[in-house]
Amino acid sequence: MTQTEDRKPRSDEARSAFDSEITSEFAIPDGLAFPRAGTEPETTSEFAVPEGLEVPQVQQAEPEGSAFSPPSTYSAKQAPAFTPPNGVPIVSLTKDVPWQDRMRTMLRMPVADRPAPEPVQRAEEGGPAVPRVLDLTLRIGELLLAGGESAEDVEAAMFAVCRSYGLDRCEPNVTFTLLSITYQPSLVDDPVTASRTVRRRGSDYTRLAAVYRLVDDLSDEETQVSLEEAYRRLAEIRRNRHPYPTWVLTLASGLLAGAASVLVGGDVVVFLAAMAGAMFGDRLAWLCAGRGLPEFYQFIVAAMPPAALGIALTLAHVEVEASAVVTGGLFALLPGRALVAAVQDGLTGFYITASARLLEVMYLYVGIVVGVLLMLYFGVQVGAELSPDTALAGSNGPVWQIAAAMLLSLTFAVLLQQERSTVLWATLNGGVAWCVYGAMHYAGDISPVASTAVAAGLVGLFGQLLSRYRFASALPYTTAAIGPLLPGSATYFGLLAIAQNEVDQGLVSLTKAAALAMAIAIGVNLGSEMSRMFLKIGSAEKRRAAKRTRGF
């Protein structure tokens, strides 16, 4: 064995094999060895520290945590309001403001800028489970979105439900068919995300009003609603039947078409003909829906009977306005509710949802176009004298037109399954809208687009004020009231011109119909925004929106 190998430290196996004198350089000399107490065997590791030289371990008072974790003495209830470094003032929302405005205000703020959470529901010991609260929130949002509510109002309702149960760090997200919500307890905790898909849609404003009452009770500080009670009320809302039977809806569809035909200059015969055609088309659409056909084909089938009846009256040489019959039948089919919701979503920044809603409106319009064009092509081939140059000027007196407009709004409210207490207000709102439109267009000789926009703005203004007064949704007060303003005659004459190979004139008329539809939607949204000037919401800093310069 060489001298280098002899000086290498030996392993534990070597020392166990040769139970002899320790030769390691790290061994403690005999003179410096301290006596060991007890019967513990002698440590043989070269890195062992003598017992007399051991340093006592100092225990840490508090384990080291994340830099983002709050101190143990921190209390969220006693924490001061956070003011960002850019100078945004501290937010303090007024307590008596409706929950829709308070939740919408907080949704437009960053999470760090939102005010401290309000008193939460304390029906359960320790608070409810987070997944159950998120599930309840998604179910409520599903009913609102399926009922035609705008994306911003759906997000406000979802945020109100979460906040009422103490989940203030929530971010809801609403698209056309998907609802999702994320809750993050703190910056260092993992977020919890849940989602739900909207499969079916329908117009039932009675159910919509019941959901709003539930959200209002959950947001009320004085009303304690447990999670189980909220689930029970939600189940009752789902099980409730429509307030009107099927035969009432069919009759309302016919009366709506008859009232629309009177608005464009029809007489009693035209009223009855339009009513019969719309009722027959409604029954055919119900039959197609029962067979599972998509809504696109339902609109095609529903648009054919009024057009066919107008052509039949023309071929029979009956002295009636056949164009008024077809126009009246189209009023019952035009998707005004979906159009207003689509434009409102676009104006409030929900561009994906707005694009999907506009695509839905386009498909429904195409269905109406296909159904009417099929009948018009057939009428032109068999010799029906239909002239697209004939203008429907509404030759009836103002009293009859106002009465017809109010009847149209009333029947439209019935078709939307509204509560009986809201039907009267929607009818009056529709009458006011037609009075403003008639005064501006017929008496003042103002363009129909500008007159429609102003009338729709008043509809949105009054609808929002009525909804805030009753703490309910604005849809029952605005959707039915815009019925008399829908561009039924412009749509019909555009389709008739295309059917007679006058494409340029038809496109001009259809463009006018699109301009009227956009004027209605923008006017309703603008009136809704103007209504906030009359409400006690607070300073301008409490409802921020996106700010851009020159499109960047």
Side-chain angles (χ1 to χ4, degrees):
M1 180 180 297
T2 62
Q3 185 179 1
T4 304
E5 293 178 350
D6 187 39
R7 295 184 59 183
K8 290 175 59 178
R10 297 184 181 180
S11 63
D12 295 339
E13 291 81 1
R15 284 194 296 269
S16 60
F18 301 96
D19 192 10
S20 59
E21 184 181 15
I22 300 175
T23 59
S24 174
E25 297 86 350
F26 298 95
I28 301 174
D30 294 337
L32 296 179
F34 293 90
R36 297 181 179 275
T39 58
E40 186 178 358
E42 184 178 357
T43 305
T44 58
S45 174
E46 300 87 28
F47 301 98
V49 181
E51 187 176 353
L53 298 179
E54 290 180 355
V55 180
Q57 297 291 333
V58 180
Q59 296 183 355
Q60 297 181 358
E62 184 178 354
E64 183 180 359
S66 173
F68 298 97
S69 60
S72 59
T73 58
Y74 175 81
S75 176
K77 296 182 179 180
Q78 300 177 357
F82 174 76
T83 301
N86 55 3
V88 177
I90 299 176
V91 178
S92 59
L93 296 176
T94 309
K95 293 296 182 181
D96 55 352
V97 172
W99 63 266
Q100 297 99 314
D101 297 313
R102 288 188 284 120
M103 297 303 112
R104 187 183 291 110
T105 300
M106 284 186 285
L107 276 175
R108 294 189 175 186
M109 302 177 186
V111 177
D113 297 350
R114 293 172 183 171
E118 302 170 355
V120 299
Q121 307 283 347
R122 299 188 180 277
E124 300 181 11
E125 186 68 23
V130 172
R132 298 191 64 197
V133 175
L134 299 184
D135 178 71
L136 175 67
T137 303
L138 290 174
R139 291 178 183 273
I140 291 177
E142 177 190 9
L143 288 180
L144 293 176
L145 187 62
E149 195 62 82
S150 63
E152 186 179 27
D153 290 334
V154 174
E155 283 195 358
M158 294 172 64
F159 187 73
V161 175
C162 286
R163 195 173 177 84
S164 64
Y165 287 104
L167 309 184
D168 60 309
R169 299 180 64 89
C170 287
E171 288 295 338
N173 187 20
V174 177
T175 58
F176 187 60
T177 57
L178 182 64
L179 299 169
S180 64
I181 187 167
T182 301
Y183 169 67
Q184 188 173 12
S186 65
L187 294 175
V188 295
D189 293 327
D190 295 332
V192 181
T193 303
S195 62
R196 194 173 182 88
T197 303
V198 179
R199 300 293 183 184
R200 299 183 60 184
R201 300 176 183 272
S203 300
D204 190 349
Y205 285 0
T206 300
R207 178 179 296 176
L208 193 69
V211 176
Y212 262 79
R213 285 193 293 268
L214 174 59
V215 178
D216 184 41
D217 292 339
L218 290 175
S219 304
D220 191 4
E221 300 177 6
E222 300 178 357
T223 305
Q224 298 294 330
V225 181
S226 64
L227 197 61
E228 297 298 333
E229 176 68 16
Y231 267 108
R232 185 189 64 80
R233 291 179 57 178
L234 189 62
E236 291 179 355
I237 293 173
R238 287 179 174 273
R239 287 195 300 264
N240 284 344
R241 294 187 176 183
H242 299 305
Y244 307 103
T246 304
W247 67 270
V248 173
L249 299 179
T250 302
L251 180 61
S253 178
L255 291 175
L256 189 152
S261 65
V262 174
L263 284 179
V264 294
D267 52 10
V268 178
V269 179
V270 173
F271 179 89
L272 295 177
M275 180 177 176
M279 292 174 66
F280 186 54
D282 180 77
R283 285 292 86 199
L284 289 179
W286 276 96
L287 182 63
C288 294
R291 296 296 185 272
L293 287 179
E295 197 172 11
F296 175 79
Y297 301 104
Q298 297 176 28
F299 271 75
I300 292 178
V301 173
M304 295 173 67
L309 191 56
I311 294 172
L313 292 176
T314 302
L315 293 175
H317 302 286
V318 180
E319 295 297 330
V320 295
E321 289 286 347
S323 300
V325 176
V326 182
T327 301
L330 291 180
F331 264 83
L333 301 175
L334 295 178
R337 171 185 58 87
L339 178 65
V340 172
V343 176
Q344 184 175 359
D345 287 339
L347 294 177
T348 52
F350 295 85
Y351 301 113
I352 297 178
T353 307
S355 302
R357 289 186 188 271
L358 287 176
L359 186 62
E360 180 191 29
V361 171
M362 186 191 71
Y363 271 105
L364 297 182
Y365 263 107
V366 170
I368 297 173
V369 167
V370 172
V372 175
L373 280 181
L374 287 176
M375 293 294 100
L376 292 181
Y377 275 124
F378 176 77
V380 170
Q381 295 299 323
V382 297
E385 296 181 359
L386 301 172
S387 176
D389 298 328
T390 303
L392 298 176
S395 58
N396 294 321
V399 177
W400 285 106
Q401 288 191 3
I402 294 174
M406 296 179 67
L407 177 61
L408 194 153
S409 299
L410 188 148
T411 53
F412 202 173
V414 173
L415 288 176
L416 293 174
Q417 304 282 356
Q418 292 187 196
E419 291 181 312
R420 291 175 173 84
S421 60
T422 63
V423 172
L424 178 60
W425 294 107
T427 303
L428 294 176
N429 203 7
V432 171
W434 185 257
C435 288
V436 174
Y437 174 80
M440 295 182 62
H441 179 55
Y442 296 119
D445 199 18
I446 302 177
S447 67
V449 177
S451 304
T452 301
V454 174
L458 290 178
V459 168
L461 174 63
F462 294 151
Q464 283 290 338
L465 293 178
L466 287 172
S467 66
R468 292 303 185 264
Y469 174 74
R470 299 172 63 93
F471 291 89
S473 172
L475 290 181
Y477 303 100
T478 57
T479 305
I482 65 173
L485 305 176
L486 293 176
S489 58
T491 303
Y492 164 70
F493 286 119
L495 299 179
L496 179 59
I498 294 176
Q500 295 180 348
N501 292 327
E502 298 179 3
V503 180
D504 295 338
Q505 184 177 354
L507 292 179
V508 170
S509 185
L510 290 180
T511 303
K512 177 183 177 181
L516 291 173
M518 292 297 294
I520 293 173
I522 295 176
V524 170
N525 181 263
L526 183 60
S528 301
E529 295 294 330
M530 289 177 59
S531 67
R532 305 181 193 281
M533 299 173 58
F534 300 92
L535 297 175
K536 189 179 180 181
I537 298 179
S539 60
E541 292 83 1
K542 295 179 181 179
R543 190 173 186 268
R544 293 182 171 270
K547 182 179 180 181
R548 298 182 182 180
T549 303
R550 298 181 181 178
F552 295 100

